[in-house]
Amino acid sequence: MAGERPNIKKWIVLYPVYINSKKTIAEGRRISAAKACENPTCLEIVDCCNFLKIPSAIELDKAYPRDFFMHRGRVRVLLRREDGSLYNPAIGTRKQLMHQVAELVPKHHGRTKKQEPAATSTAGPSKSGKGGKKKK
């Protein structure tokens, strides 16, 4: 890995904003909202790249310029070997990579586990929450 570090600057940059369905094109989304996923994280993108057998690295200290305060981090991805052959023959361009990752992120194991407790917790506060005027 130490040998790959100097070459990481030549890798493709993939910000989570590029595949976020909640963002507009003016805010940085690069694929259609129908094919994008909701609020992806750098860790989910890296896991998807590992699943696709594509080398990737996280840079947590970097941020998308238009979205500086909200989400930190970006992912560097290497699509081609030094001899020019693809790591994954199905993915040859950035756009294809974005579509594949956006398709895999909703199926990410961390995301599916997060949604199960969230469904039970949303029902909880609505039952226990009492509103209205206070009794005198």
Side-chain angles (χ1 to χ4, degrees):
M1 186 83 180
E4 295 177 18
R5 275 313 218 190
N7 296 334
I8 199 170
K9 293 191 178 205
K10 301 211 179 218
W11 292 15
I12 291 172
V13 175
L14 183 64
Y15 288 100
V17 174
Y18 291 174
I19 59 172
N20 190 349
S21 64
K22 295 286 187 182
K23 299 290 181 182
T24 64
I25 289 178
E27 291 171 330
R29 182 172 39 84
R30 298 267 177 111
I31 59 176
S32 68
K35 293 184 179 180
C37 59
E38 191 174 316
N39 298 323
T41 64
C42 289
L43 296 173
E44 291 170 343
I45 293 171
V46 167
D47 286 344
C48 293
C49 289
N50 291 337
F51 178 78
L52 295 168
K53 307 270 190 286
I54 297 174
S56 58
I58 298 177
E59 294 179 327
L60 291 174
D61 57 328
K62 303 294 183 180
Y64 189 62
R66 293 185 216 164
D67 198 25
F68 181 74
F69 295 107
M70 299 304 283
H71 300 285
R72 306 274 311 167
R74 69 181 178 193
V75 179
R76 291 273 190 166
V77 180
L78 184 63
L79 292 180
R80 297 181 183 273
R81 294 183 176 92
E82 288 184 18
D83 63 354
S85 62
L86 297 170
Y87 278 99
N88 187 338
I91 300 171
T93 63
R94 295 172 197 240
K95 198 73 95 168
Q96 290 173 341
L97 175 67
M98 287 186 240
H99 285 288
Q100 289 286 333
V101 170
E103 187 178 314
L104 289 173
V105 166
K107 301 172 189 170
H108 188 264
H109 65 276
R111 188 169 280 232
T112 54
K113 287 180 185 176
K114 287 179 188 173
Q115 288 178 354
E116 290 172 9
T120 58
S121 65
T122 55
S126 62
K127 291 179 183 176
S128 63
K130 294 182 179 180
K133 296 181 181 179
K134 291 184 179 180
K135 295 181 182 179
K136 293 184 180 179

